[in-house]
């Protein structure tokens, strides 16, 4: 284990959304997707330097940051992008909402896989669009798109697909073949796709590689809004710095137009942290990934020993999508909170048979959570 990530950080009394949800009660907060790890030293050093400067006025996008993103896309994915394609945002969720407003018109349909991160279902409705969901299916321990069901769900009113790769909450990393098949459907049906790729730097399965949808080819690139951010990887979500990559000029103009006067620019500390993370944070992330892999392996082994629970392999993210249907619980979220473990209810993602657990925490915290889950279910389930 790595002492850098084993060190407990007391987040109580810091207005942490994650930790203050349960106040002073003895419930371990393992719900919202931020980690309990201290951000990389390079990020903290850069923030200290900027704060020491002492002036925090309106800030342009630093040229260095755009160049880092261009370089990163080339080196990691062999994807050549241009500076003009990058649009900086104060969060990824607003990017989902802007995508829904930028494509189609009032009453048009937005498709989304299910289960899925809740804003995928709320963003279309908030944008005066209808939403349709297509259930993922399990195949060889991997949650995949049901392409047949996807095509059957496309109508004349369908204009946009909201996609998530790596998948939240299922943890799937989509293959080249899967993405090519998806791209073919998008192109053939004259659709657009908004691809949430915020967990792209959190690939746990070392034999797998993240592939941006837009990097597949020029034709699908013109139909794609790619959303990325350093926030999940380097635990800097509170600094609000994300970006969209949009190659098509007309689509980019529509996206920019619908944000005018509504979505603010990124703050200067967000830019500062992003530069440091992308410039000097990769070695730190390698150590984080090793720690998360060990947490994942422990969690899968222990959860699958518990009668009534099931956990499939997790290819990416620090989120475990636990099937609790075998436990026959009437209210799983309440049950596990009573046991002292605060997870995200599966119903919020579109499937009440599951709970999502964040294992981006110290091993000590994770082991205590497992003990509480085991103890609670041992008392609940018949021998």
């Amino acid at each position: 284990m790595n002492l850098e990530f084993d060190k407990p950080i007391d987040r109580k009394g810091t207005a942490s959304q994650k930790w203050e949800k349960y106040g002073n009660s003895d419930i371990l907060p393992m719900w919202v997707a931020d980690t309990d790890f201290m951000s990389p030293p390079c990020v903290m050093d850069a923030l200290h330097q900027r704060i020491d400067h002492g002036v925090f006025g309106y800030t342009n996008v630093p040229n260095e940051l755009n160049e880092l993103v261009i370089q990163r896309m080339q080196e990691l994915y062999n994807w050549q992008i241009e500076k003009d394609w990058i649009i900086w945002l104060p969060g990824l969720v607003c990017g989902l909402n802007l995508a829904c407003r930028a494509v189609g018109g009032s009453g048009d349909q937005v498709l989304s896989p299910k289960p899925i991160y809740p804003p995928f279902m709320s963003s279309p409705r908030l944008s005066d669009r209808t939403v349709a969901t297509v259930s993922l299916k399990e195949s060889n321990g991997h949650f995949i798109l049901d392409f047949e069901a996807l095509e059957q769900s496309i109508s004349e009113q369908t204009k946009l697909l909201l996609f998530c790769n790596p998948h939240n909450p299922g943890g799937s990393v989509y293959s080249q073949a899967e993405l090519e098949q998806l791209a073919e459907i998008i192109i053939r049906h004259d659709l657009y796709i908004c691809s949430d790729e915020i967990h792209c730097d959190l690939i746990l399965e070392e034999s797998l590689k993240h592939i941006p949808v837009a990097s597949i080819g020029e034709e699908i690139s013109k139909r794609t809004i790619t959303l990325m951010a350093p926030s999940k990887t380097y635990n800097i979500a509170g600094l609000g710095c994300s970006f969209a990559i949009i190659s098509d000029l007309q689509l980019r103009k529509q996206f920019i137009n619908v944000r005018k006067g509504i979505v603010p620019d990124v703050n200067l500390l967000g830019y500062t942290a992003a530069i440091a993370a992308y410039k000097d944070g990769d070695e730190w992330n390698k150590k984080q990934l090793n720690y998360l892999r060990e947490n994942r392996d422990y969690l899968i082994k222990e959860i699958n020993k518990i009668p009534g629970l099931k956990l499939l392999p997790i290819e990416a993210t620090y989120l475990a999508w636990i099937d609790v249907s075998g436990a026959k619980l009437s209210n799983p979220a309440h049950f596990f909170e009573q046991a002292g473990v605060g997870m995200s209810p599966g119903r919020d993602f579109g499937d009440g048979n599951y709970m999502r657990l964040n294992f981006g925490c110290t091993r000590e915290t994770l082991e205590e959570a497992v003990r509480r889950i085991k103890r609670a279910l041992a008392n609940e389930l018949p021998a």
Side-chain angles (χ1 to χ4, degrees), residues 205-226:
E205 200 59 49
E206 295 182 86
S207 62
L208 300 178
K209 182 181 178 181
H210 176 70
I211 304 169
V213 177
S215 71
I216 296 289
E218 184 176 352
E219 197 169 358
I220 188 62
S221 178
K222 290 179 179 179
R223 297 174 174 273
T224 303
I225 298 168
T226 302

Side-chain angles (χ1 to χ4, degrees), residues 37-55:
F37 307 140
M38 193 172 286
S39 295
C42 64
V43 169
M44 290 187 285
D45 289 344
L47 290 170
H48 279 300
Q49 289 177 24
R50 187 65 203 237
I51 289 169
D52 287 344
H53 181 261
V55 179

Side-chain angles (χ1 to χ4, degrees), residues 343-364:
M343 294 185 274
S344 298
R347 64 174 181 269
D348 292 349
F349 298 79
D351 194 333
N353 289 316
Y354 288 78
M355 295 292 291
R356 194 189 74 171
L357 182 147
N358 177 348
F359 58 89
C361 59
T362 65
R363 173 60 69 83
E364 181 181 10

Side-chain angles (χ1 to χ4, degrees), residues 1-10 36-38 287-288 291-292 294-295 360-367:
M1 304 302 290
N2 190 307
L3 294 178
E4 186 173 358
F5 301 99
D6 260 343
K7 179 182 177 182
I9 308 296
D10 186 1
D36 289 330
F37 307 140
M38 193 172 286
K287 292 187 286 185
Q288 176 182 229
Y291 192 90
L292 290 173
E294 292 181 8
N295 271 4
C361 59
T362 65
R363 173 60 69 83
E364 181 181 10
T365 299
L366 187 61
E367 289 178 352

Side-chain angles (χ1 to χ4, degrees), residues 165 173-183 209-213 215-217:
N165 179 33
V173 177
Y174 290 102
S175 68
Q176 178 87 17
E178 288 172 313
L179 294 176
E180 287 177 350
Q181 187 172 355
L182 178 63
K209 182 181 178 181
H210 176 70
I211 304 169
V213 177
S215 71
I216 296 289

Side-chain angles (χ1 to χ4, degrees), residues 63-129:
N63 288 329
E64 182 181 13
L65 183 52
N66 281 326
E67 292 303 318
L68 282 168
V69 170
I70 292 169
Q71 178 184 345
R72 196 171 186 83
M73 297 304 110
Q74 177 64 47
E75 291 180 353
L76 293 179
Y77 314 120
N78 194 29
W79 182 23
Q80 293 184 339
I81 70 169
E82 300 176 11
K83 177 182 174 181
D84 290 346
W85 299 4
I86 307 171
I87 303 167
W88 290 92
L89 302 166
L92 188 133
V93 171
C94 69
L96 293 171
N97 282 271
L98 291 174
C100 290
R101 288 164 167 79
V103 176
S106 177
D108 282 337
Q109 185 186 79
V110 177
L111 267 178
S112 176
K114 188 179 75 172
I116 198 64
Y117 179 50
F120 276 59
M121 292 179 279
S122 62
S123 296
R125 297 187 181 103
L126 292 171
S127 306
D128 197 27
R129 307 308 195 253

Side-chain angles (χ1 to χ4, degrees), residues 229-304:
S231 54
K232 301 297 183 187
T233 306
Y234 305 99
N235 204 18
I236 52 176
L239 293 174
C241 185
S242 304
F243 58 96
I245 301 175
I246 308 173
S247 66
D248 183 74
L249 178 59
Q250 185 58 40
L251 181 59
R252 192 164 66 247
K253 284 182 176 178
Q254 291 168 203
F255 189 90
I256 292 171
N257 283 340
V258 295
R259 74 168 285 176
K260 286 181 179 177
I262 299 174
V263 179
D265 293 330
V266 176
N267 74 81
L268 65 89
L269 295 183
Y271 286 138
T272 300
I275 290 172
Y278 283 154
K279 189 176 181 180
D280 298 311
D282 285 341
E283 287 303 312
W284 177 90
N285 189 38
K286 288 179 183 178
K287 292 187 286 185
Q288 176 182 229
L289 287 172
N290 286 333
Y291 192 90
L292 290 173
R293 287 183 185 111
E294 292 181 8
N295 271 4
R296 173 200 63 177
D297 294 346
Y298 164 81
L299 187 63
I300 291 173
K301 179 182 177 182
E302 294 302 318
I303 289 296
N304 285 320

